[in-house]
Amino acid sequence: LRNLSKKRLFAFINVVGLSIAIACNILIYLFVSDELSYDQFHEQRDRIVRLNRVTYNPDGSFNNSDAFLPAPLGPALVNDMPEVEATVRFLTYEDYYIRNGEQIFLEDVLFADKDFLNMFSFKVLSKNSGSLLQNLNAVLITEDIAEKYFPGENPVGKELEIRLNNVFETFTITALLENIPSNSSVQFSVVIPFEKGIATFDWIKQSLDMWNRAAFPTYALLKEGVSAEQLQEKMLAFRHRYYPDELEELKAGKNWEEGDPVKRNYYVQPITDIHLNTQLQSGMVPPSNPMYSYILLAIGAALLLLACINFTTLTIGQASSRIKEIGIRKVVGAKRGQLIIQLWVESFLMSGLALIVGLVIVALALPEFNTIAQKQLTLTAIFSIKKLVIITGFLLITGLIAGGYPALSFSNFKPLASLKNKIKLGGTNTYTRTLVVIQFAVSLLLVSVTLLMSRQINYMKSKDLGFDKEQLLVINANSLDGYDLIERYRAETVGLPAIVSIAGSATSFTMGNLRRGYDYKGEEKQAYLFEVSANYIETMGMELLEGRNFNPAMASDSTNAMIVNESLVKDLNLSKPIGELLEGFSRGDNPSPAIIGILKDYHFSSLEKAIEPLAITIGSRFGFRHLLVKIAPNKIRETIPQLESIWKNISPDLPFTYYFLDEQMDAQYQNDERWGKIVSYAGIVTILIACLGLFGLTAISASGRTKEMGIRKVLGATVPSIMWLVSREFIRLIAFALVFAALPAWYLSKIWLNNFAYRINIAYDLFLFAGLFILFASAITASYHVIKVSLENPVKSLRDE
């Protein structure tokens, strides 16, 4: 306590640096532990698996995966596989309107088989007796939905109306569920029986015995003692039982044996593997890339290292003030071990104080961190026995690292040695110089990566996508007749010059796409399929390179005509694509469609992915769920109320909901933006900690050279030369740190950019800007003490000589 009170500035720097680093590490620990806890709350988690359809390259390597599977798969697993106890199929087709009196909202509705709550451990707060999904018109809701429609009431037994197939039907609430944990890979607000979907939608009923229509995520509950690996061993034979043509194809022309490469198979994935497995996608919640957790852990370790470096360098810098104390202690009988313990205890006490301050910082920063990380973390999560043990161990490690070198070094001083201050940053101490270089190298690394991420995101947002995304309003036409809606809107907007064009689409870029496999001349191919209205291409401002657009007056265009993109032409290796029949792409009893036009490639998905084959047809089996309205420039403000008024005339019972396509396209990069923000915050914190250390070291160096500077000024040295003399050592070290960090920064930037099919080039100006920024920040930090010693009256420093 005496040392802290005598060295208040250095105590403040150490406590602030350590507390910020500890706070960041606690936040990172909460984040990573939440990532690792996904789906761990299910009591039967070791027995729950998700089925995936996986396709392989000819050499047997992974190609892609899909978690949307055929409807008969679930029942077949129960019937054919003694290892499977039960299965649950889901349908997450779209949001549906739910009404209670005057209240009406679009909600996330999940269709699920009746074993849903027997398999998953979602907490039931209140329920009716009996099977909760047995009745066709039963519905399960979460607390948020209950509070929205029945505030302050127990909703069990009450009724809600859900709009299915353009008709509101009455459902009875049979259970109230606790809000779904944020660390669940299965997310929903409302659950209704899968059997209700069969009874309501003809296409689902038709899918029950169709193995070539995939739309239903399927989970299985394994019997006690059965592992996912055991079931996986039997999946290929199971698939060949229902796809015998695949087995015949494998055997044709070659001696295929069990274990040889196959084109596709079902893959059994434990539920606890879903969240952090980016290879197997297409779930209800996009998986999280574990790389970011590793990055955060590395950032946390770097911040803690920087804070410990500050502690070490400042303690070394004050060595002269401790040498007399340690010498006297040794003279009166203190042993080295006692001194080591004393110095380490000081370090632990400093770390303990920093932990208390760090917890306060965590409490203040947690809301903003939750916003950026899209989590629902709470400070109370720390206060479990496991986490407290980890944090205590973390504290001990911090104290050991921070106080290790000073304790071992100072305790080794000879009691009768010269009491001259031998350890100065500006002198020959290689250790302290190395620590400063590491600090600023880490700072440059994070700042340059932050600049790179920002530039890449700006590039993706501003890149020409191959269509005109501006001034495009997308109206949500869920649960309405999309065909009728387009015609009525066109009729109502004839007199509105601000409306340039209106088109319809069954899918909309970031709101879900339909991907279809087809057999083209004996070769398995895949392409995205867009079902649109005839004027879709001109409304979107796309470019036809060859052929013609759809003609609604030609009946054949709605049944056997397709417009494809350049990537599909390349994929099929077509030299004369116009008129080519796309075998295996027919719909229903219609003949194979012919290619009537070639569309210039455009980005219908994120720039993280290369443009894939795409086919566009007019008409839709399920109606147009999105209405695209092209509005004249500078006319949006007055046009939206007019469109809403038309909506109310057409469908007075349903709310008018819309979004702008350009905003929705930009939203694809929210994940990259938030990680860019996290890295930028980390960069700011590292610079802050590094500059805190530099501020303290400059103070030590300047105070130790006061008499030297006085003599130099008496002998004629100018203020600028004095300033350069005091600061040049720091500038050299920082410059060396910038050079030292450039290569790892370039390498890490390259690794991150490899996640994007379309990316910027790594420019050297990124490292230059980062280096100049850090030099400027460090110069400002050191300037106070440098200017102070440079301007000090030499008489004052030499008067006692």
Side-chain angles (χ1 to χ4, degrees), residues 124 126-135 138 140 156-157 173-175:
V124 179
S126 179
K127 65 175 181 176
N128 284 339
S129 58
S131 179
L132 302 181
L133 288 174
Q134 191 67 44
N135 190 305
L140 316 178
V156 175
I173 300 170
T174 57

Side-chain angles (χ1 to χ4, degrees), residues 40-58:
Q40 295 288 342
F41 63 90
H42 295 296
E43 295 176 6
Q44 303 178 110
R45 58 186 175 275
D46 295 333
R47 297 168 56 200
I48 302 173
V49 296
R50 185 182 73 174
L51 278 299
N52 301 269
R53 179 179 55 189
V54 180
T55 60
Y56 300 95
N57 296 315

Side-chain angles (χ1 to χ4, degrees), residues 1 63 134 156 169 178 217 230 282 284 291 425 432 447 475 487 492 547 574 611 616 642 646 703 710 730 747 752:
L1 291 176
N63 186 324
Q134 191 67 44
V156 175
E169 294 192 44
E178 189 174 73
Q230 287 174 289
S282 301
M284 298 180 202
M291 176 185 72
L425 186 65
T432 51
V447 171
I475 300 173
E487 296 309 317
E492 296 276 355
L574 301 177
I611 297 175
I616 299 178
Q642 295 170 337
I646 296 170
S703 64
F730 298 111
Y747 179 73
W752 185 75

Side-chain angles (χ1 to χ4, degrees), residues 282-293:
S282 301
M284 298 180 202
V285 178
S288 176
N289 193 333
M291 176 185 72
Y292 288 117
S293 292

Side-chain angles (χ1 to χ4, degrees), residues 346-376:
E346 291 178 9
S347 172
F348 290 138
L349 291 175
M350 191 79 77
S351 299
L353 181 59
L355 175 61
I356 295 171
V357 178
L359 288 172
V360 175
I361 295 173
V362 170
L364 296 174
L366 200 54
E368 174 66 12
F369 185 79
N370 278 332
T371 301
I372 298 172
Q374 296 180 353
K375 295 284 186 182
Q376 299 174 19

Side-chain angles (χ1 to χ4, degrees), residues 36 83 154 239 275 370 412 417 448 675 679:
L36 296 175
E83 295 85 357
N154 182 358
R239 180 173 176 87
H275 181 64
N370 278 332
N412 200 33
S448 57
W675 280 106
V679 173

Side-chain angles (χ1 to χ4, degrees), residues 53 58 208 300 336 439 448 609 625 641 643 645 706 769 799:
R53 179 179 55 189
L208 293 180
R336 188 185 183 200
Q439 276 192 314
S448 57
K609 303 175 183 177
R625 307 209 316 268
L643 292 172
S645 177
T706 304
F769 289 147
R799 63 188 175 186

Side-chain angles (χ1 to χ4, degrees), residues 70-85:
L73 174 65
L77 281 171
V78 175
N79 291 332
D80 297 2
M81 297 292 196
E83 295 85 357
V84 176
E85 183 175 306

